[in-house]
């Protein structure tokens, strides 16, 4: 239990944290991986290089310190982080390690300000937050273990199908080796995949959105080959080495981004491989005979990178749902554009949207989602009706 004095002291350190910025979490991670190198088998070390995870952790700690007298305002963030943690099978004992390195980081970076009083208040405050996560994560582990077809931790699955969806995206279909049922999930949720690529020194865990409706027997994910200056470890390994018949471990479905049935119009907005949760939502809407208007808006580079086009086209035609796509790079000379395809960036003035009602689900690169969200806000769509998923460490749009 935090005293008024603990709360006052933690809040008084907010300016110090803000002045330190991500240098604090940078130091923290370096320290932690030096002393506990085994954690490199849990964390995505590529996200360490890109700096996105350092920022996500820094923002979470700063938000906690600012709102320590009213942590109810952090409930959405807690839910998102706890879900993410469960896809790595984070355990209560891990919180002791993280807490230790966090306190030592503050001591090392702020030797003058980190008095006994500050140490005591921050140690207690960390303990309170850790318990919030530990409790929620245990509840999620139990819920999944107790649901039909559910499990806790890793479960062995076999690849039963591998399908090329477009130039860069390939789907993988998994069935459990034990041949038992698999738990249902909410459309929009993801699974954790754990394996040891021969291209990495570590075990790697990544999240992939389930890309079709739940069916109790199989899971399908659809993976984009990440070809930046440095080739993505897991995505390239899956594309190049994982074949039908191969085995890998999956963590149960998780995530706080999913379709919520309010019997209102639904607008699905994606770019690139952000299409995957939208496919799960679309297929679920079909399976449940959704009676409200659905709009499916997608942006990608060109026709070759347009995943799930014919599937989406046929569903939308059949149900009279709006389907519109933007190709950023245009089409080769001589090719004609389809009726519902435009060139350039996604532009909501080219479609008719249920602006005053309904929910808007977004997924794609951060810059795309920023751009799409801003357009929606300019059109007076209220913020609470805009939902989004980040394919990486979370960032606020
Ligand atoms: C909730 C969620 C759902 C997701 N759903 C999907 C999905 O449905 N489909 C999908 O394809 N992906 C999805 N992702 C993304 C996926 O989890 C992986 O992040 C993605 O496949 C890349 O992983 P990787 O191992 O191939 O790349 P990584 O090795 O993790 O690299 C990621 C990026 O970092 C760069 N990088 C690596 N090392 C360095 C370095 N030293 N310096 C600078 N840059 C570096 C790489 O070039 C690459 O661009 C999802 C992510 C989340 C969090
Ligand atoms: C109170 C303590 C903690 C806080 C505030 C915290 C905060 C966060 C945040 C903000 C994220 C990003 C979430 C997102 O992308 O949506 C995250 C992800 C993660 N956390 Fe924690 N965390 C804590 C404890 C732990 C512990 C104990 C572990 C295990 C050692 C852990 C392992 C991870 C991992 C592996 C990720 C994903 C990293 C990635 O994808 O690069 N966290 N955490």
């Amino acid at each position: 239990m935090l005293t008024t004095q603990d709360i006052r002291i933690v809040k008084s350190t907010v300016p110090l944290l803000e002045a330190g910025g991500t240098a604090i979490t940078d130091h923290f991670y370096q320290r932690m991986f030096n002393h506990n190198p085994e954690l490199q088998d849990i964390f995505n070390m590529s996200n360490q290089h890109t700096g996105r995870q350092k920022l996500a952790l820094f923002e979470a700690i700063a938000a906690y310190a600012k709102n320590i007298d009213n942590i109810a305002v952090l409930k959405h963030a807690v839910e998102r982080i706890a879900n993410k943690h469960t896809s790595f099978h984070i355990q209560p004992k891990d919180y002791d390690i993280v807490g230790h390195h966090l306190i030592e980081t503050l001591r090392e970076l702020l030797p003058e300000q980190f008095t006994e009083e500050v140490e005591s208040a921050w140690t207690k405050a960390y303990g309170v937050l850790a318990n919030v996560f530990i409790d929620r994560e245990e509840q999620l582990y139990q819920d999944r273990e107790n649901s039909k077809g559910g499990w806790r931790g890793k479960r062995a699955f076999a690849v039963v199908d591998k399908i090329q969806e477009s130039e860069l995206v390939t789907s993988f279909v998994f069935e459990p080796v034990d041949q038992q049922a698999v738990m249902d999930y909410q459309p929009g949720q993801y699974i954790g995949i754990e394996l040891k690529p021969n291209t990495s020194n570590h075990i790697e865990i990544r999240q992939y959105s389930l890309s079709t409706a739940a069916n109790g027997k199989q899971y399908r994910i659809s993976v984009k080959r990440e070809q930046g200056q440095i080739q993505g470890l897991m995505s390239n390994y899956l594309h190049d080495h994982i074949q039908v018949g191969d085995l890998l471990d999956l963590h149960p479905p998780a995530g706080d981004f999913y379709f919520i049935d309010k019997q209102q119009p639904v607008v699905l907005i994606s770019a690139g491989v952000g299409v995957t949760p939208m496919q799960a939502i679309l297929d679920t809407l079909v399976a449940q005979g959704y009676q409200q208007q659905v709009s499916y808006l997608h942006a990608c580079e060109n026709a070759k990178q347009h995943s799930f086009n014919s599937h989406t086209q046929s569903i939308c035609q059949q149900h009279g749902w709006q389907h519109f796509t933007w190709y950023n790079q245009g089409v080769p000379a001589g090719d004609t554009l389809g009726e519902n395809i435009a060139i350039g960036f996604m532009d909501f003035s080219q479609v008719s949207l249920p602006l005053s009602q309904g929910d808007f689900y977004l997924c794609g690169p951060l810059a795309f989602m920023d751009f799409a969200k801003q357009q929606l806000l300019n059109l007076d769509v209220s913020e609470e009706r805009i939902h989004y998923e980040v394919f990486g460490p979370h960032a606020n749009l």
Side-chain angles (χ1 to χ4, degrees), residues 37-43 45 195-205 233:
E38 73 282 4
L39 291 181
Q40 296 179 53
D41 280 340
I42 298 182
F43 280 84
M45 298 312 287
L195 51 79
K196 164 87 185 54
N198 55 13
T199 43
S200 172
N201 297 326
H202 306 292
I203 294 171
E204 302 290 341
I205 304 175
L233 275 173

Side-chain angles (χ1 to χ4, degrees), residues 29 32 39 42-45 47-48 53 56-57 60-61 80-81 84-85 88 90-91 94-98 102 126 129-130 133 207 392-394:
Y29 277 121
M32 187 167 78
L39 291 181
I42 298 182
F43 280 84
N44 176 344
M45 298 312 287
N47 288 343
Q48 294 293 320
Q53 178 58 24
L57 179 63
I61 291 171
R80 188 192 69 243
I81 298 166
K84 184 67 92 53
H85 281 164
F88 292 91
I90 305 298
Q91 296 300 298
D94 299 327
Y95 282 87
D96 295 339
I97 303 174
V98 165
L102 198 57
Y126 173 81
L129 182 61
F133 282 123
Q207 290 69 37
H394 185 78

Side-chain angles (χ1 to χ4, degrees), residues 46 49 206-209 222 224 230 232-235 276 391:
S46 300
H49 294 298
R206 298 288 185 274
Q207 290 69 37
Y208 289 98
S209 303
S222 308
K224 178 186 169 212
I230 298 177
L233 275 173
M234 175 75 88
S235 59
T276 53
F391 278 4

Side-chain angles (χ1 to χ4, degrees), residues 302-304 329-336:
N302 52 44
K304 284 187 186 161
Q329 292 176 347
V331 288
D335 279 15
T336 44

Side-chain angles (χ1 to χ4, degrees), residues 175-195:
E175 275 179 13
V177 170
D178 58 29
Q179 308 248 306
Q180 300 298 303
V182 299
M183 65 178 277
D184 282 348
Y185 50 88
Q186 300 296 330
Q189 287 191 307
Y190 52 83
I191 47 168
I193 295 200
E194 177 167 342
L195 51 79

Side-chain angles (χ1 to χ4, degrees), residues 279 282-283 286 294 296 306-325 340:
Q279 285 291 306
L282 188 73
D283 288 349
V286 170
V294 176
Y296 190 102
H306 193 168
S307 308
F308 304 110
N309 185 25
S310 54
H311 178 68
T312 309
Q313 189 83 3
S314 93
I315 285 179
C316 290
Q317 254 167 22
Q318 213 176 324
H319 293 81
W321 290 344
Q322 177 173 226
H323 177 208
F324 209 91
T325 306
N340 53 356

